[in-house]
Amino acid sequence: NRVKIEYQKSDGLYGYSTTGDLTDNSQIDITFSEFSNNDGYGINFGAGANAVQNNIHIINNRILRNDLGGVLLNTCINCSLTNNAIAYNDSTGVTISALGGSPFSRSNLLKNNEFDSNKGTQLLIGTAYNTESYNDYFIANTPSVGIPAVTKMIDLSLTVANMTIEKADHRVK
């Protein structure tokens, strides 16, 4: 709560689950913080094969200018991103997925986030069930010096089922 993590040589915040039960990376709230200019992801919750993590809530944060992307959630159950600014990352803004051999990510919520000019896909959902996105705002810059064009706003790939996208808005600036 209320931390600023920047200029790390790896991820700003890193958690990794390997046990396959619900004891690793569970019941975590990340609020009112900034993760910026890191060489990895701003926030990375990775998981090995057959591992699970649950109830990770990322609320009211700034996730900016990270080299590998803004947020990575692998094999996450009942996780949420709410009221975050996710902008200018050098790759995908947010990725919710699962590794091969792992259970699917499921029952995740994105709400009232602003995705602004991440260089890769703004929101990538892959290998996930029951994911919901409400009132998320997507901004894409037109290409200019130092600001690349965004290629995709939302990418649903691999196996995605029961995905709800409601009241998403977009703007090109």
Side-chain angles (χ1 to χ4, degrees), residues 49-150:
N50 299 315
V52 210
Q53 45 202 349
N54 70 334
N55 294 307
I56 297 169
H57 305 290
I58 301 169
I59 306 163
N60 293 317
N61 298 286
R62 292 169 35 104
I63 304 159
L64 313 169
R65 295 183 183 91
N66 297 288
D67 287 353
L68 293 182
V71 177
L72 173 65
L73 296 175
N74 265 327
T75 317
C76 213
I77 300 170
N78 296 323
C79 297
S80 66
L81 286 94
T82 307
N83 300 327
N84 297 289
I86 303 156
Y88 307 108
N89 293 290
D90 284 346
S91 186
T92 303
V94 171
T95 301
I96 299 175
S97 193
L99 299 175
S102 296
F104 288 83
S105 286
R106 59 185 177 273
S107 302
N108 295 303
L109 171 68
L110 295 99
K111 186 174 180 184
N112 299 328
N113 297 291
E114 181 177 282
F115 295 83
D116 189 351
S117 305
N118 296 290
K119 289 183 183 176
T121 301
Q122 300 274 41
L123 172 60
L124 173 62
I125 308 289
T127 318
Y129 289 148
N130 302 325
T131 301
E132 301 175 2
S133 170
Y134 294 103
N135 297 325
D136 289 314
Y137 193 67
F138 297 89
I139 301 169
N141 283 317
T142 54
S144 64
V145 176
I147 302 175
V150 173

